[in-house]
């Protein structure tokens, strides 16, 4: 009987509440320190990436015309996420590929979550030829969901300037056709109308979808009332 | 009057013709003489601007492939003298 008491005693010493609390407390301290360190690292990485994209901010207001010929302002898109691509209807292969990629990325994101809405947006860099009607017909063959925008030369100049989009119409041939050389980047804009991320030609639809989802999660948690970290 | 853009159907026809040409050239070691008919079909299906664009693209892709797989030789100055 005394032997059993001895064993029980040693058992109690190993698993006492006191040592449990101490190790639990130590663990929590380390966990908090680790998470804080990780957060700071991510913030500085993000800052570095932003810095490398140029000190001046990208994005902002634009006032254009939609594919139905109606005036359309960037304000009309607040409250939604946007994937924005600049292209033109006479584009040989890059624009069709990028637009299909954009649509597919959004399909993937919408399957993963349905609380935050995201829309694909196309803005032409060829206002001379891309009328509202042309843009409408062109985009319809990719998806009914894409918002197509055009405008006057000045309006397009303003929008491309805001997004630092390079574009340059090439020489016209005997059929009066020309190709517009332009920046091939998809921009991610949050519901507040802020530029958040960008995706180049080498990114697949899956890459873009996971980038977008990650940013949506960050946004959702940053905009929650109570957040642990 | 300005040309309308090639729609999806027309683009697909152009891409198919282009791929046919590139396949022909690949199997004939870029001997254009062997692919004249297919070349004509390609030029019929695609706007002239696109023909130029895809020709350039092929040159670029071939060059890229060569650099990646065969490497490259730095320029040998003595060789140029022989060419005179």
């Amino acid at each position: 009987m005394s032997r059993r008491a001895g064993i029980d005693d040693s058992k109690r010493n190993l698993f006492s509440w006191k040592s449990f609390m101490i190790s639990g407390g130590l663990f929590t301290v380390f966990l908090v320190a680790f998470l804080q360190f990780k957060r700071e690292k991510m913030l500085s990485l993000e800052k570095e990436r932003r810095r490398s994209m140029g000190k001046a901010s990208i994005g902002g207001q634009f006032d254009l015309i939609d594919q139905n010929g109606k005036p359309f302002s960037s304000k009309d898109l607040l409250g939604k996420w946007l994937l924005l691509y600049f292209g033109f209807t006479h584009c040989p292969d890059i624009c069709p590929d990028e637009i299909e990629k954009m649509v597919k990325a959004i399909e993937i994101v919408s399957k993963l979550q349905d609380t935050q809405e995201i829309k694909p947006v196309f803005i032409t860099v060829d206002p001379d030829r891309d009328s509202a009607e042309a843009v409408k017909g062109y985009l319809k063959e990719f998806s009914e969901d894409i918002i197509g925008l055009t405008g006057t030369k000045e309006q397009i100049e303003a929008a491309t300037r805001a997004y630092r989009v390079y574009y340059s119409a090439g020489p016209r041939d005997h059929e009066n056709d020309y190709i517009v050389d332009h920046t091939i980047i998809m921009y991610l804009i949050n519901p507040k109308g802020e530029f958040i991320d960008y995706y180049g030609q080498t990114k697949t639809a899956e890459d873009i979808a996971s980038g977008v989802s990650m940013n949506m999660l960050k946004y959702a948690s940053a905009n929650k009332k109570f957040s642990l970290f | 009057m300005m040309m309308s853009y090639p729609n999806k159907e027309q683009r697909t026809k152009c891409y198919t013709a282009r791929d046919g040409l590139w396949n022909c050239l690949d199997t004939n070691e870029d001997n254009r003489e062997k692919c004249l008919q297919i070349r004509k079909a390609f030029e019929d299906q695609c706007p002239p601007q696109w023909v130029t664009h895809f020709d350039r693209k092929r040159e670029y892709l071939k060059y890229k492939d060569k650099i990646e797989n065969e490497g490259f030789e730095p320029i040998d100055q003595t060789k140029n003298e022989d060419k005179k």
Side-chain angles (χ1 to χ4, degrees), chain A residues 60-71:
Chain A
Q61 255 274 96
F62 53 75
D63 290 291
L64 298 165
I65 299 166
D66 71 11
Q67 64 254 63
N68 295 308
K70 305 259 159 62

Side-chain angles (χ1 to χ4, degrees), chain A residues 1 10 17 58 61 63 94 102 109 142 151 155 165 169 175 188 201-202:
Chain A
M1 189 129 155
S10 63
W17 277 109
I58 294 183
Q61 255 274 96
D63 290 291
I94 295 173
M102 182 167 65
V109 171
F142 294 97
Q155 285 174 319
V165 171
E175 290 183 13
L188 177 66
Q201 245 189 310
T202 53

Side-chain angles (χ1 to χ4, degrees), chain A residues 152-168:
Chain A
T152 63
K153 213 161 146 189
E154 291 74 26
Q155 285 174 319
I156 295 291
E157 262 169 35
T160 50
R161 202 179 310 128
Y163 283 90
R164 304 189 178 284
V165 171
Y166 158 77
Y167 71 109
S168 171

Side-chain angles (χ1 to χ4, degrees), chain A residues 45-98:
Chain A
L45 268 173
E46 191 63 34
K47 247 190 231 165
E48 195 52 55
R49 196 151 86 86
R50 294 275 165 91
R51 208 178 300 142
S52 67
M53 290 196 283
K55 291 226 160 93
S57 60
I58 294 183
Q61 255 274 96
F62 53 75
D63 290 291
L64 298 165
I65 299 166
D66 71 11
Q67 64 254 63
N68 295 308
K70 305 259 159 62
F72 191 96
S73 159
S74 49
K75 289 201 206 99
D76 299 332
L77 290 165
L78 291 175
K80 301 184 181 123
W81 288 84
L82 312 176
L83 265 181
L84 173 56
Y85 178 74
F86 290 80
F88 65 112
T89 65
H90 286 250
C91 180
D93 50 355
I94 295 173
C95 301
D97 285 345
E98 291 297 296

Side-chain angles (χ1 to χ4, degrees), chain A residues 92-95 97 201, chain B residues 15 18-19 22 42 49-65:
Chain A
D93 50 355
I94 295 173
C95 301
D97 285 345
Q201 245 189 310
Chain B
Y15 300 156
R18 172 203 64 192
D19 292 343
W22 289 6
F42 167 58
Q49 287 278 321
W50 294 26
V51 169
T52 311
H53 171 87
F54 288 129
D55 283 345
R56 280 204 202 115
K57 187 169 181 180
R58 180 169 169 89
E59 286 306 308
Y60 166 73
L61 289 171
K62 273 171 47 200
Y63 180 70
K64 187 174 165 210
D65 187 55

Side-chain angles (χ1 to χ4, degrees), chain B residues 32-43:
Chain B
R32 290 183 204 171
E33 299 293 309
K34 298 264 167 85
C35 305
L36 290 173
Q37 286 273 61
I38 301 185
R39 171 83 195 175
K40 185 164 186 311
F42 167 58
E43 287 174 5

